[in-house]
Amino acid sequence: MTSAPISRAEYTHTVHPGRYDPIALAAAVAGSGLLSSYVVYERGHRWYIAGNPLGEVTVGPGWLRSTLGGERTEHWTGSPWPHVRAALCRTPVAGWRAYGWSTFELAHPAAADPARVLAHLMVPGVEMEVTGESVTIRSCGSTIGADLVSVVADSPQTAPEPVRVDRLDAAYLQGVERAVARIRDGALQKVILSRSVDVPFEVNMPATYAAGRRANTPARSFLLDLGGWQAAGFSPETVLEVDAAGLAATQPLAGTRARTGHTGTDRTLRAELLADPKEVFEHAASVKLAFDELATIGRPSTTRVSEFLAVKERGSVQHLGSRVETELDEACTSWDALTAVFPAITASGIPKSVACETIHELEDGPRGLYAGAVLMADDTGALDVALVLRAIYQRAGRAWLRAGAGVVAASTPSREHQETCEKFGSIAPHVVPAHR
């Protein structure tokens, strides 16, 4: 179904110089009620706050609906991402940016409820770009402007109520045992198994984001209320980064030790991590697959590992991290690159198809946003995709945390359980209740 296109419009820009606390401002705007839906996305020391959609794109198993440039419904097979790109390109606004989320299940939608929305993107009617020195507001079809800058004044501060995450999860231990048996039988090399912990109260997501972001050192951070999902997170890695010139990169992190905040202890744990054969093997296998995936959409001889086995500090943990890059082939777009790398290796496994089947069998239900993506795109072809980890989720009256660990042949259930506890430490101490 289609309808007539809308005539092309433009954003208006206003700049407000000053001294700003971007974290506080992002949380205050998100909690102000001035935005009907929103996504906050932090990238490179800039916070983008987008809301009041001009139009949206929703994707389910085999179908896509768009209200950009007229209402349209279509069907897809293979990968949905080229169809998402086409829908966004019909946006009737020059210089658009788009923000949104994808669930993990979009990678293998056949097992999903046919009516379930697996991805949701929007083009905002109002958008803020915040640094410590200025706020730039872009708006189109929205009367909200300077009001957004002033909402941070007198925002109440609420103390977090830490969530306990260290209770023994017997089902998870059994799942790791079963996964190790499959790996040793040769069914796969690696699988990431995760477990969830319920939060026993309604969560104030903006306040939790502010508290957690000040305690974390993420590659990207996000806060969203879009399409029935609320989430706040501190992503340790990117699934994909593509600039307007076509340079594409992915940032696999695999291999983990705790980060305590005590210099001597953390130095010892870092050395242990770098010397652990299980962790190094797990990481190297992930980098090899990332290289192979990017090579499928890169120009010949341009795919390379630009960083290898660096230790990345990410809140309560430290990881082995690498970076793989390529230059997009002329026939490929950033969305083709996303097709190649989604879902992330470091949240699924090797090979991906078998790992996803194992996850479906051994975990306690659909992951939803966990191990999916929050993304930002624009009309130049640039695309930035954060892996959804170290996050808190709220939907349909339930709030929860989820964390996983990479299982290989040398894994032990107790260590993988402990690793999930270490990762929960990035978010569990900072959860702020909605009501006391």
Side-chain angles (χ1 to χ4, degrees):
M1 178 182 68
T2 61
S3 62
I6 300 170
S7 59
R8 201 156 179 82
E10 293 186 354
Y11 284 98
T12 59
H13 295 69
T14 58
V15 179
H16 301 263
R19 296 181 63 84
Y20 296 98
D21 179 340
I23 298 172
L25 182 56
V29 170
S32 68
L34 293 172
L35 302 179
S36 57
S37 297
Y38 63 79
V39 176
V40 176
Y41 194 82
E42 177 198 357
R43 181 186 70 179
H45 304 293
R46 290 177 180 270
W47 278 254
Y48 298 85
I49 309 167
N52 294 6
L54 293 173
E56 299 175 280
V57 179
T58 54
V59 184
W63 57 264
L64 178 148
R65 299 189 185 102
S66 171
T67 59
L68 293 166
E71 293 187 6
R72 186 184 185 105
T73 299
E74 60 189 78
H75 298 282
W76 60 270
T77 59
S79 170
W81 297 118
H83 298 266
V84 170
R85 172 182 178 269
L88 292 174
C89 287
R90 292 191 290 269
T91 299
V93 182
W96 57 264
R97 294 186 185 124
Y99 301 81
W101 51 258
S102 168
T103 64
F104 179 79
E105 285 71 34
L106 186 62
H108 292 272
D113 179 346
R116 184 176 180 138
V117 176
L118 302 178
H120 192 138
L121 292 85
M122 61 94 163
V123 173
V126 62
E127 180 183 17
M128 303 174 70
E129 184 175 336
V130 184
T131 69
E133 293 75 39
S134 68
V135 174
T136 301
I137 298 179
R138 306 195 321 155
S139 61
C140 179
S142 176
T143 59
I144 298 175
D147 291 345
L148 294 173
V149 180
S150 63
V151 297
V152 73
D154 301 321
S155 294
Q157 301 298 313
T158 307
E161 186 170 316
V163 176
R164 183 175 177 183
V165 297
D166 60 351
R167 293 184 177 90
L168 191 65
D169 188 332
Y172 184 75
L173 296 176
Q174 293 170 3
V176 173
E177 287 181 353
R178 293 172 64 187
V180 169
R182 294 187 186 192
I183 291 168
R184 291 176 179 172
D185 286 343
L188 69 168
Q189 280 186 283
K190 171 184 174 180
V191 62
I192 287 74
L193 286 188
S194 66
R195 66 187 185 95
S196 61
V197 172
D198 283 337
V199 177
F201 48 79
E202 183 184 354
V203 177
N204 181 329
M205 285 294 191
T208 298
Y209 171 80
R213 177 59 186 87
R214 296 192 191 284
N216 275 278
T217 49
R220 301 289 188 271
S221 73
F222 57 85
L223 170 66
L224 62 87
D225 186 343
L226 178 66
W229 280 93
Q230 294 181 312
F234 318 103
S235 175
E237 63 186 278
T238 53
V239 180
L240 182 69
E241 304 164 47
V242 185
D243 65 19
L247 178 64
T250 188
Q251 186 189 48
L253 269 64
T256 306
R257 285 295 184 275
R259 181 167 173 256
T260 67
H262 300 286
T263 302
T265 301
D266 289 344
R267 187 183 299 117
T268 299
L269 290 169
R270 174 186 178 126
E272 180 183 298
L273 174 61
L274 285 164
D276 189 320
K278 178 263 181 186
E279 304 284 13
V280 173
F281 167 78
E282 178 188 346
H283 184 84
S286 299
V287 173
K288 174 62 167 60
L289 182 53
F291 184 98
D292 293 343
E293 289 177 338
L294 282 188
T296 65
I297 47 84
R299 291 169 49 206
S301 303
T302 65
T303 308
R304 56 196 176 270
V305 179
S306 58
E307 184 181 42
F308 187 61
L309 284 180
V311 176
K312 305 290 184 179
E313 296 182 346
R314 296 290 186 255
S316 62
V317 292
Q318 46 191 328
H319 293 292
L320 296 177
S322 294
R323 188 176 183 85
V324 184
E325 299 177 339
T326 198
E327 297 173 21
L328 287 182
D329 186 88
E330 292 181 359
C332 295
T333 71
S334 55
W335 299 93
D336 296 318
L338 186 54
T339 298
V341 301
F342 184 84
I345 299 161
T346 50
S348 54
I350 305 171
K352 280 186 180 178
S353 58
V354 180
C356 288
E357 291 171 4
T358 303
I359 288 166
H360 178 71
E361 293 175 21
L362 299 184
E363 291 190 351
D364 57 359
R367 287 179 164 187
L369 284 189
Y370 172 79
V374 175
L375 62 86
M376 172 182 176
D378 67 36
D379 67 350
T380 69
L383 179 61
D384 200 86
V385 185
L387 178 58
V388 179
L389 301 175
R390 316 295 190 269
I392 184 167
Y393 314 91
Q394 192 157 253
R395 180 178 174 85
R398 178 192 173 212
W400 70 98
L401 311 174
R402 195 171 191 106
V407 180
V408 296
S411 291
T412 61
S414 59
R415 170 56 202 155
E416 305 309 344
H417 189 283
Q418 179 60 34
E419 183 173 319
T420 65
C421 293
E422 293 166 357
K423 292 172 177 175
F424 279 133
S426 292
I427 183 70
H430 314 297
V431 181
V432 178
H435 309 288
R436 288 192 177 276

